[in-house]
Amino acid sequence: QVQLVESGGGLVQPGGSLRVSCVASGIIFRLYVMGWYRQAPGKQRELVATITTDGSTNYVDSVKGRFTISRDNAKKMVYLQMSSLKPEDTAVYYCKAALVSGISRRDYWGQGTQVTVSS
């Protein structure tokens, strides 16, 4: 059974920092591309950051220079370090694992962790 579980969300003041974490089970973690998505109320879910099996990263423009995605394959974990947080970063943050094998693609999602940026 594949499972992703996020943690680390909470309330933080504008300009503050927070790290959200995701732990995976039931998969060979190192074979998956990992990503963080977020969804704010009334908004579409958007891709925030991805990290490949070999550590290559990509970020949406709005978080470049402020967020860092990383992974620890031994611990089967992926992290999103968020700094200089803004109210518009408020959202539920979701962890995703993606495996592409030939013509097939399998995606797995966590249930999300709430991040609220407010004074």
Side-chain angles (χ1 to χ4, degrees):
Q1 187 75 25
V2 174
Q3 185 169 289
L4 303 174
V5 179
E6 301 97 334
S7 63
L11 176 64
V12 62
Q13 292 186 332
S17 298
L18 199 66
R19 187 181 75 167
V20 290
S21 303
C22 172
V23 62
S25 63
I27 64 174
I28 304 175
F29 185 79
R30 66 177 180 84
L31 301 179
Y32 287 77
V33 176
M34 303 298 297
W36 285 98
Y37 289 69
R38 66 186 180 186
Q39 187 166 24
K43 303 291 185 179
Q44 294 281 90
R45 187 173 296 187
E46 69 168 343
L47 177 62
V48 177
T50 61
I51 184 165
T52 66
T53 57
D54 63 354
S56 180
T57 60
N58 281 286
Y59 301 90
V60 67
D61 286 345
S62 61
V63 309
K64 287 181 178 177
R66 299 190 297 120
F67 290 12
T68 301
I69 187 172
S70 61
R71 65 192 291 163
D72 184 332
N73 289 337
K75 295 182 178 180
K76 295 185 177 181
M77 297 193 72
V78 61
Y79 309 93
L80 186 68
Q81 178 67 50
M82 301 177 286
S83 62
S84 301
L85 283 162
K86 305 173 181 179
E88 50 263 47
D89 295 317
T90 295
V92 177
Y93 283 72
Y94 297 91
C95 178
K96 189 184 86 170
L99 176 66
V100 178
S101 179
I103 62 171
S104 299
R105 179 187 174 112
R106 296 291 301 275
D107 293 343
Y108 301 95
W109 293 87
Q111 294 186 350
T113 186
Q114 176 72 49
V115 173
T116 302
V117 184
S118 176
S119 60

